[in-house]
Amino acid sequence: MKIAVLPGDGIGKEIVAETIGVLARLELKFEFEEAPVGGAGYEASGHPLPEKTLALAKQADAILFGAVGDPRYDALESAKRPEQAILGLRKALALFANLRPARVYEELAAASTLRPEIVAGLDILIVRELTGDIYFGEPKGIRPHASGGREGFDTMRYSEAEIRRIAGVGFEAARKRGKKVCSVDKANVLETSRLWREVMTAEGEKNPDIELSHMYVDNCAMQLVRNPKQFDVIVTGNLFGDILSDEASMLTGSIGMLPSASLDANNKGLYEPIHGSAPDIAGKGVANPLATILSAALMLRYSLHQGAAAERLERAVKLTLRDGYRTADIYTAGTRKVSTAAMADAVAERL
Ligand code: NAD
């Protein structure tokens, strides 16, 4: 199992190094190969996604990504900025499905801005289509308006094939979890959504073991804060998914805990924490490595077909939290504040 290791910038380097240390404790044969990306890629070769890094990513079975970005590069032209690396990888590898689990460990329920009884034990997965929709639909632009001034316009578009493809990811993910899919659209107003609902319904009939429901996006935004535990897997388009996945991540109250996966049609994927490079705490040894460790668990499950190892790793994280280990971002009185390395060591011991 060849893994391309792309730590990136800031805390990316620290959390990825610790995660590799934890993975090495599993009795599995990994081959890790590291390459620079983001600001580190720019320093190495003048481009945030160097050719060699992209070649490695293409050739590997999966990609473990840290984070990119640093204020030092803020003045660069947009094509050279570190953040372009992630967009370049998504495009080059055709990563069309973004999976974002939002899970609230009982021990951390108090960290949410919602009441603990609303979120304790929450375990939902948002599956967001990543390469279509209004972000990429043509035509788009700003043009003179007939009645004076200018108008801006974008085009929301989804082909049947694109909808079917993301539906497949959603049903498959639900099969490995609570066997429920909620498809989110705006079919009361948008033609794109009407087609979306039609195709999702047809795909639902092909997956009778999964309970399919539909919800309008405005209602879903409301239900996510009213009663988030009603959901198992939410499947939605790029625009709605962008917004709902950020909303769902806040339910957990801790950015340092949330993993993500971006998959292609063969379940090859890029795995990364949802947070950025956190320049404010980089180099201090205080970053929370759990989002990256949990991303590695997703990698084991979705790309490497090591479901049992994924569960072991997730259980080790749960036990570490139960035993009171906390990095500064999730620390509360009465628990044990530890460094990045000590947190990862605690997980490794519990494996
Ligand atoms: P950020 O996620 O890096 O940090 C936001 C806040 O959360 C900071 O206070 C930070 O210290 C804290 N934080 C983040 N991760 C943490 C962790 N693991 N443990 C403890 N605390 C953590 O977002 P930002 O500050 O808006 O962006 C910083 C840089 O990261 C920018 O250059 C941005 O473009 C980039 N960024 C990259 C990605 C990515 O690589 N996918 C995603 C978001 C932002």
Side-chain angles (χ1 to χ4, degrees):
M1 291 179 284
K2 179 156 180 169
I3 298 169
V5 179
L6 313 185
D9 308 316
I11 62 167
K13 297 191 191 80
E14 304 160 39
I15 54 185
V16 167
E18 294 300 337
T19 300
I20 299 293
V22 172
L23 281 175
R25 295 281 281 265
L26 289 164
E27 299 82 23
L28 294 170
K29 285 212 173 75
F30 297 113
E31 185 190 333
F32 298 111
E33 191 174 333
E34 192 174 317
V37 73
Y42 179 76
E43 292 296 338
S45 75
H47 194 279
L49 181 56
E51 266 173 40
K52 276 190 189 160
T53 303
L54 180 57
L56 170 67
K58 282 186 172 164
Q59 185 211 347
D61 297 310
I63 300 142
L64 187 63
F65 191 95
V68 291
D70 187 298
R72 276 181 299 167
Y73 306 108
D74 281 355
L76 288 176
E77 56 172 298
S78 102
K80 296 272 168 76
R81 290 188 54 149
E83 293 80 2
Q84 288 301 317
I86 186 91
L87 299 176
L89 280 165
R90 275 181 195 164
K91 198 167 165 209
L93 301 175
L95 304 173
F96 71 92
N98 187 228
L99 274 58
R100 271 207 201 178
R103 193 167 173 188
V104 179
Y105 295 88
E106 307 280 345
E107 295 82 358
L108 300 182
S112 175
T113 49
L114 294 191
R115 288 202 310 274
E117 69 268 25
I118 305 285
V119 294
L122 176 77
D123 183 5
I124 63 180
L125 173 68
I126 300 205
V127 177
R128 164 190 172 195
E129 203 286 334
L130 209 53
T131 54
D133 207 350
I134 195 163
Y135 294 173
F136 297 94
E138 295 285 346
K140 59 164 71 200
I142 298 174
R143 62 189 172 196
H145 190 259
S147 59
R150 294 176 300 161
E151 68 173 356
F153 59 102
D154 297 274
T155 306
M156 179 175 268
R157 256 176 211 277
Y158 264 122
S159 70
E160 279 188 278
E162 284 174 314
I163 303 167
R164 213 173 292 124
R165 191 169 68 160
I166 196 70
V169 174
F171 285 116
E172 198 49 49
R175 193 160 286 123
K176 292 177 185 162
R177 303 172 33 102
K179 300 196 167 45
K180 285 200 310 185
V181 165
C182 178
S183 168
V184 173
D185 61 36
K186 188 74 184 165
N188 48 346
V189 182
L190 300 170
E191 293 300 328
T192 316
S193 280
R194 235 167 263 160
L195 181 69
W196 176 283
R197 191 171 283 213
E198 216 179 273
V199 175
M200 285 296 303
T201 304
E203 292 306 299
E205 282 161 14
K206 293 184 205 158
N207 290 276
D209 57 323
I210 308 295
E211 182 191 324
L212 172 68
S213 60
H214 302 272
M215 195 178 274
Y216 296 136
V217 62
D218 43 346
N219 186 23
C220 183
M222 192 260 282
Q223 295 297 336
L224 270 174
V225 284
R226 195 186 72 91
N227 176 21
K229 285 191 249 180
Q230 69 185 283
F231 297 108
D232 176 26
V233 175
I234 291 175
V235 180
T236 190
N238 205 346
L239 173 64
F240 302 152
D242 190 357
I243 300 163
L244 294 177
S245 61
D246 265 27
E247 187 189 3
S249 69
M250 256 325 286
L251 299 174
T252 72
S254 50
I255 197 169
M257 293 293 303
L258 292 167
S260 80
S262 302
L263 305 179
D264 77 0
N266 301 313
N267 278 345
K268 171 169 167 170
L270 182 146
Y271 298 85
E272 59 172 336
I274 72 157
H275 61 72
S277 55
D280 54 332
I281 56 167
K284 296 186 179 153
V286 298
N288 186 344
L290 295 182
T292 315
I293 291 172
L294 292 168
S295 299
L298 295 181
M299 175 175 81
L300 289 165
R301 176 170 299 120
Y302 291 108
S303 289
L304 305 179
H305 312 293
Q306 302 289 335
E311 263 163 45
R312 259 182 79 197
L313 191 49
E314 285 165 352
R315 192 164 156 68
V317 168
K318 196 172 164 42
L319 292 177
T320 303
L321 293 171
R322 187 205 59 188
D323 293 345
Y325 290 82
R326 301 283 189 276
T327 41
D329 57 309
I330 50 174
Y331 174 76
T332 45
T335 59
R336 193 163 154 189
K337 197 192 274 186
V338 296
S339 67
T340 309
M343 188 65 137
D345 286 349
V347 174
E349 274 165 29
R350 281 155 189 80
L351 268 181

